[in-house]
Amino acid sequence: MKGILNTFSDCLRRKYAPIHVDHRCIRRMATAGHQRLPEAWKVILDRPLTTDELHRAIRKGGGRKSPGRDGISNEFFKTNLEGLKEEMLQIFTQMLVEQKLTELQKRGVIVCIPKSDKAVAPVDFRPITLLNSDYKILARIVVGRVRPALVEVLHASQHCGVPGKSIFDAVATVRDAVAYAEMANAPLCVLSLDFKEAFDKISHKYLFTILQSFGFSDALLRLSMTLFALYLNPLLHRLDQTLNGLRIHQRQRQSAVTAYTDDITLLITTPEDIDAVNDAIQCYEKATDAILNIRKSQALAVGACDTTMSVMDIPYNDEITVLGFKIQKSIARAASASWTRITHIVRTQARDTYSRDLGLSQKFNMHTYIYWKSYGTPHRFIQPRQNVYDK
């Protein structure tokens, strides 16, 4: 048993070892043309904590969640919310405004969950960090304040966490680009990037530098680890500034980048774009210690794209996956492939549901889940926007 414990400890120690970054590249990424937070938003973000704000953050916490090292679950805060609201408000105000957080409050317990029934080595387990409930409530307060302001600072290509944008818009952007390149026989390489352990390898030095460059206050910097969209924002700016993008009938320049959290898709149209992608990715890797996963990244050649044009040795495929949906060089075939996959999943789950002895409420919940499972496909693979085809 001790040998197993030492094996896992050594693996996690290497996994979460200090990250070494290039400070010159951090400065380059921090000046990538993004917007600073307007002064009006700074006043809003730094305002005193209110009772309603605290109540919303506590109620948003899911039930039946494992507590952190203090053993206090979110149910404790929900149950005692009315009776201890004044005391809770005082405590969380000290944590948020006065930054009175003990070291124990900021520590978590790492639990290794097997990825499959045949897990035998540390790489076969997924490490999950159990945080104290008060720390997670505080993080929800911060995210609730920052999210409305993201539209002011995030690049237009980022669709995650921005009010008025959704995952549908991100996929629709790629769909329209492929549809135009297919119809016009225009050269287009759709590049889907994957970074190894994107959420595990986060440089605190890089993150805090970027948040400071946006103008966020010190009170929020310590609690903004969930804002991965801001972490990627300089890379999206640098890519969009240097790539040519796809022009649809010379009437508009479509962004060459679309992103949803850490899922980044690039639209490459000229050989010059390759050098620009290489430079931006290398600078980002040095600034953050991130590593592009060549094996999991994918390229799709559309229209008159020259497949001898290598992009960071990422292999070309006849089909790539963007945000869980299949994209092919033909939009019609992509829609058919996506519908085939979804209908197969729905039929399998429906047969499993009907073969089980479920109550009425359980059947209703399952039917609702199956319905929403198939809801996204027609939104992503409806007929492309009309101006894609207009000549």
Side-chain angles (χ1 to χ4, degrees):
M1 181 63 69
K2 187 176 181 180
I4 295 175
L5 180 61
N6 289 337
T7 299
F8 274 84
S9 297
D10 291 342
C11 178
L12 292 175
R13 194 174 291 112
R14 291 192 299 270
K15 185 181 183 71
Y16 299 116
I19 294 176
H20 303 287
V21 295
D22 186 321
H23 296 278
R24 183 179 60 85
C25 288
I26 290 180
R27 290 193 293 271
R28 283 186 62 192
M29 299 303 293
T31 56
H34 53 258
Q35 299 292 325
R36 282 186 62 84
L37 194 68
E39 290 297 326
W41 273 109
K42 294 181 183 180
V43 175
I44 295 174
L45 294 177
D46 294 334
R47 69 182 185 273
L49 182 64
T50 65
T51 303
D52 289 341
E53 198 174 10
L54 176 60
H55 284 198
R56 284 196 300 270
I58 292 176
R59 293 194 182 103
K60 279 186 177 180
R64 305 183 63 161
K65 299 290 186 180
S66 298
R69 60 188 297 146
D70 63 3
I72 302 175
S73 66
N74 195 66
E75 279 79 2
F76 169 83
F77 291 94
K78 285 185 177 180
T79 302
N80 298 282
L81 184 57
E82 292 302 322
L84 298 175
K85 60 182 178 182
E86 294 300 328
E87 290 81 359
M88 288 187 185
L89 182 63
Q90 181 180 358
I91 291 172
F92 281 98
T93 296
Q94 291 177 346
M95 293 169 65
L96 177 65
V97 179
E98 301 175 26
Q99 302 181 42
K100 290 185 177 179
L101 280 167
T102 67
E103 287 302 315
L104 290 179
Q105 283 179 295
K106 294 184 285 186
R107 292 180 183 176
V109 178
I110 298 179
V111 179
C112 295
I113 308 297
K115 298 179 182 178
S116 68
D117 296 334
K118 300 179 180 180
V120 295
V123 294
D124 300 324
F125 289 79
R126 180 175 290 108
I128 304 295
T129 303
L130 305 181
L131 299 173
N132 289 347
S133 297
D134 57 354
Y135 189 88
K136 291 193 286 187
I137 291 170
L138 190 59
R140 286 195 290 272
I141 293 172
V142 173
V143 172
R145 289 186 171 197
V146 172
R147 181 164 288 157
L150 292 181
V151 69
E152 300 282 352
V153 294
L154 282 184
H155 190 268
S157 63
Q158 179 60 263
H159 294 81
C160 178
V162 180
K165 291 187 176 183
S166 71
I167 194 171
F168 302 130
D169 302 310
V171 178
T173 299
V174 180
R175 177 204 64 196
D176 285 356
V178 172
Y180 171 72
E182 177 190 0
M183 295 294 295
N185 196 34
L188 173 66
C189 172
V190 181
L191 200 64
S192 177
L193 303 181
D194 180 271
F195 289 95
K196 293 181 180 179
E197 302 174 339
F199 291 99
D200 292 332
K201 294 179 70 65
I202 293 182
S203 164
H204 291 189
K205 174 65 177 176
Y206 171 83
L207 175 64
F208 294 154
T209 300
I210 297 305
L211 291 178
Q212 287 172 343
S213 71
F214 282 121
F216 287 104
S217 67
D218 291 340
L220 294 178
L221 291 184
R222 298 179 182 272
L223 299 166
S224 299
M225 297 304 294
T226 56
L227 303 180
F228 195 78
L230 288 170
Y231 192 85
L232 275 178
N233 204 54
L235 175 61
L236 302 182
H237 268 283
R238 186 163 292 279
L239 286 168
D240 196 49
Q241 288 170 348
T242 53
L243 299 183
N244 288 284
L246 186 67
R247 292 184 179 274
I248 299 178
H249 301 302
Q250 303 299 318
R251 292 192 308 210
Q252 61 181 5
R253 179 188 182 275
Q254 181 171 311
S255 172
V257 187
T258 183
Y260 192 85
T261 316
D262 65 322
D263 289 291
I264 302 176
T265 305
L266 307 182
L267 306 177
I268 297 175
T269 56
T270 67
E272 292 77 16
D273 285 346
I274 298 176
D275 292 334
V277 171
N278 275 319
D279 179 68
I281 295 297
Q282 288 176 9
C283 184
Y284 177 74
E285 288 180 329
K286 292 178 181 178
T288 64
D289 199 39
I291 301 174
L292 183 67
N293 193 334
I294 301 296
R295 186 174 61 85
K296 289 188 177 181
S297 297
Q298 308 169 85
L300 175 70
V302 185
C305 178
D306 182 5
T307 54
T308 62
M309 182 176 63
S310 175
V311 186
M312 297 180 293
D313 296 324
I314 295 175
Y316 283 93
N317 297 274
D318 295 330
E319 179 182 87
I320 65 174
T321 302
V322 175
L323 296 172
F325 275 76
K326 305 298 182 182
I327 300 290
Q328 300 181 14
K329 61 181 65 179
S330 166
I331 284 296
R333 288 200 297 270
S336 177
S338 294
W339 271 112
T340 299
R341 173 176 170 271
I342 288 295
T343 53
H344 172 74
I345 293 174
V346 169
R347 285 171 179 164
T348 301
Q349 292 176 334
R351 282 195 297 265
D352 180 64
T353 300
Y354 294 135
S355 66
R356 297 163 61 188
D357 185 18
L358 301 177
L360 180 61
S361 62
Q362 292 172 312
K363 288 182 178 180
F364 176 79
N365 290 336
M366 182 59 72
H367 287 173
T368 303
Y369 168 77
I370 292 174
Y371 170 76
W372 284 107
K373 187 73 176 179
S374 58
Y375 179 76
T377 301
H379 284 75
R380 293 174 174 91
F381 287 102
I382 56 175
Q383 187 79 359
R385 298 185 184 100
Q386 187 59 39
N387 66 351
V388 170
Y389 297 112
D390 290 343
K391 297 192 176 183

